[in-house]
């Protein structure tokens, strides 16, 4: 048992790093370049960016998934294959020169639907694997490795998109992403997944959380944050790639800069949180993010390098 738990801890870090290959493809300039290649309009790009949020509701079906597959391990692996395996269609579509945005919508919906459930099962598994007094140290270490992997993927993807023509560059990017996806599923298959009893579960009203005033405040904040931040993010990348025609390798390098700043700040934020509190630190992060968006009022084709460099630094602070 102890050997299985120890192995799972190591594999989880490796799997998290490989999963960055998918996460980076779904973010920023890489995502925008892919969406534009598949002839997506700004409206479709906005819808694609909203899919991860929309599909969060799939979490309510986790218990039913358990019951369908009988065991938690079987559900874990099959859902992982369905969530990450669907991405293998993208490089195939590029090779076949099939450029319908609707195939991209289909792939992202399936990936995020199954990915949400996979995330639930993974979280429950890690709660069993990692003791409560070890979680802060373990996940801070895991997040550090993931941050490094994210920087590497951003740079590699940016280099490929800039070095080759759009079709070849995106094929290389999606092929690398597909390889990372396959290996990550193999690593997930080697995770220790406890066989816990899930037949008897307390039922809770869907509206029960709304009776909590603190949750209501958070819900109002989340609605405005999603509408004002998450749903507008792809348009900033769209502006960079399509309007300003910024060098994609340069954008990848800026992502690396942001990542390095975030990693450095990770070392200090734990101590700062104890001194000033989580709420104040969160407020500072929100204000910094707001300033970041305001930079785009002044950006144009002659000064974008300076402003995007400033944005990268601010992003490093905000994301940490």
């Amino acid at each position: 048992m102890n050997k299985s738990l120890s192995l799972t801890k190591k594999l989880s870090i490796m799997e998290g790093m490989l999963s960055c290959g998918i996460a980076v493809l779904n973010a920023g300039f890489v995502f925008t370049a892919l969406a534009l290649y598949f002839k997506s309009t700004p409206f479709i790009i906005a819808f694609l960016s909203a899919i991860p949020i929309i599909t969060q509701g799939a979490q309510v079906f986790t218990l039913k998934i358990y019951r369908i597959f009988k065991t938690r391990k079987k559900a874990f692996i099959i859902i992982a294959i369905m969530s990450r395996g669907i991405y293998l269609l993208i490089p195939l579509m590029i090779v076949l020169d099939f450029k319908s945005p609707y195939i991209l919508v289909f792939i992202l919906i399936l990936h995020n639907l199954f990915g949400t459930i996979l995330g639930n099962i993974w979280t429950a598994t890690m709660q069993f694997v990692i003791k409560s007094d070890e979680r802060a140290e373990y996940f801070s270490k895991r997040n550090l490795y993931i941050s490094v992997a994210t920087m590497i993927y951003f740079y590699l993807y940016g280099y490929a998109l800039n070095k080759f023509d759009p079709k070849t560059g995106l094929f290389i990017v999606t092929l690398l992403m597909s390889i990372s996806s396959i290996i990550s599923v193999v690593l997930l298959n080697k995770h220790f997944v406890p066989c816990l009893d899930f037949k008897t579960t307390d039922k809770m009203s869907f509206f029960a959380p709304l009776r909590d005033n603190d949750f209501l405040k958070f819900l109002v904040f989340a609605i405005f944050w999603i509408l004002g931040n998450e749903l507008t993010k792809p348009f900033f990348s769209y502006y960079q790639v399509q309007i300003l025609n910024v060098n994609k390798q340069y954008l990848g390098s800026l992502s690396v800069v942001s990542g390095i700043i975030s990693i450095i700040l990770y070392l200090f934020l734990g101590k700062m949180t104890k001194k000033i509190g989580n709420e104040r630190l969160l407020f500072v992060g929100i204000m910094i993010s707001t300033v970041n968006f305001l930079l785009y009022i002044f950006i144009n084709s002659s000064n974008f390098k300076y402003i995007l460099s400033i944005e990268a630094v601010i992003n490093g602070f905000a994301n940490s």
Side-chain angles (χ1 to χ4, degrees):
M1 173 69 79
N2 290 333
K3 287 184 178 180
S4 297
L5 296 180
S6 178
L7 179 62
T8 299
K9 291 176 184 179
K10 296 175 182 178
L11 293 176
S12 176
I13 293 175
M14 295 170 62
E15 181 275 329
M17 295 175 70
L18 288 166
S19 296
C20 293
I22 301 174
V24 170
L25 186 74
N26 290 329
F29 69 91
V30 184
F31 169 76
T32 303
L34 180 67
L36 290 173
Y37 179 81
F38 278 88
K39 299 183 178 179
S40 301
T41 63
F43 173 78
I44 292 178
I45 292 175
F47 178 74
L48 288 169
S49 68
I51 289 175
I53 301 168
I54 297 169
T55 53
Q56 286 300 308
Q59 295 181 58
V60 299
F61 299 108
T62 303
L63 184 58
K64 292 185 178 181
I65 293 295
Y66 286 161
R67 288 172 176 162
I68 290 172
F69 295 111
K70 306 301 181 183
T71 68
R72 193 182 291 260
K73 180 63 179 281
K74 187 183 291 185
F76 188 56
I77 299 307
I78 292 176
I79 294 298
I81 292 172
M82 296 171 76
S83 171
R84 299 182 180 180
I86 191 68
Y87 266 126
L88 300 179
L89 290 176
I90 298 181
L92 179 62
M93 294 299 102
I94 293 174
V95 170
L96 297 176
D97 209 27
F98 188 78
K99 297 182 181 180
S100 171
Y102 301 107
I103 188 66
L104 201 58
V105 171
F106 171 76
I107 291 171
L108 285 180
I109 287 176
L110 287 185
H111 166 71
N112 284 282
L113 277 174
F114 293 120
T116 298
I117 298 172
L118 177 65
N120 260 9
I121 304 174
W122 181 87
T123 301
T125 298
M126 297 311 291
Q127 284 177 342
F128 182 89
V129 173
I130 311 296
K131 296 178 181 178
S132 57
D133 58 338
E134 298 176 354
R135 287 173 191 166
E137 181 181 355
Y138 173 80
F139 285 109
S140 63
K141 183 192 297 183
R142 185 176 185 271
N143 289 339
L144 181 63
Y145 282 109
I146 287 175
S147 296
V148 173
T150 299
M151 290 188 293
I152 293 171
Y153 274 108
F154 260 122
Y155 183 80
L156 290 176
Y157 286 2
Y159 178 82
L161 291 173
N162 185 66
K163 184 73 174 178
F164 304 98
D165 62 90
K167 181 176 181 177
T168 304
L170 281 170
F171 175 74
I172 293 171
V173 166
T174 55
L175 183 63
L176 179 59
M177 176 272 300
S178 298
I179 295 171
S180 299
S181 299
I182 294 169
I183 299 175
S184 71
V185 172
V186 172
L187 295 178
L188 286 174
N189 186 46
K190 294 183 179 295
H191 276 46
F192 173 79
V193 180
C195 296
L196 303 176
D197 183 22
F198 45 77
K199 292 181 180 178
T200 56
T201 305
D202 295 332
K203 292 184 179 180
M204 183 179 71
S205 169
F206 180 78
F207 298 100
L210 299 179
R211 302 190 191 108
D212 187 331
N213 288 331
D214 289 335
F215 177 76
L216 278 176
K217 292 177 183 177
F218 170 75
L219 186 62
V220 172
F221 162 76
I223 290 171
F224 281 99
W225 181 255
I226 289 170
L227 289 175
N229 182 33
E230 298 300 328
L231 296 183
T232 58
K233 271 185 178 180
F235 293 108
F236 292 101
S237 297
Y238 180 86
Y239 189 71
Q240 295 170 359
V241 174
Q242 188 73 353
I243 308 301
L244 295 176
N245 196 28
V246 183
N247 184 299
K248 296 179 182 65
Q249 187 174 355
Y250 177 70
L251 292 173
S253 299
L254 291 179
S255 298
V256 172
V257 171
S258 294
I260 293 173
I261 292 173
S262 295
I263 289 173
I264 294 172
L265 288 175
Y266 283 150
L267 304 174
F268 301 99
L269 289 180
K271 296 179 180 178
M272 289 179 62
T273 301
K274 294 179 181 178
K275 291 183 179 180
I276 67 176
N278 288 320
E279 290 186 5
R280 289 184 179 179
L281 199 61
L282 180 62
F283 178 76
V284 171
I286 293 169
M287 293 304 296
I288 291 175
S289 296
T290 303
V291 171
N292 215 3
F293 293 136
L294 293 176
L295 288 174
Y296 279 81
I297 296 174
F298 309 101
I299 196 168
N300 56 51
S301 57
S302 61
N303 65 10
F304 70 83
K305 283 193 175 181
Y306 304 107
I307 291 183
L308 289 180
S309 298
I310 295 171
E311 183 199 28
V313 174
I314 294 176
N315 263 336
F317 281 89
N319 293 337
S320 61

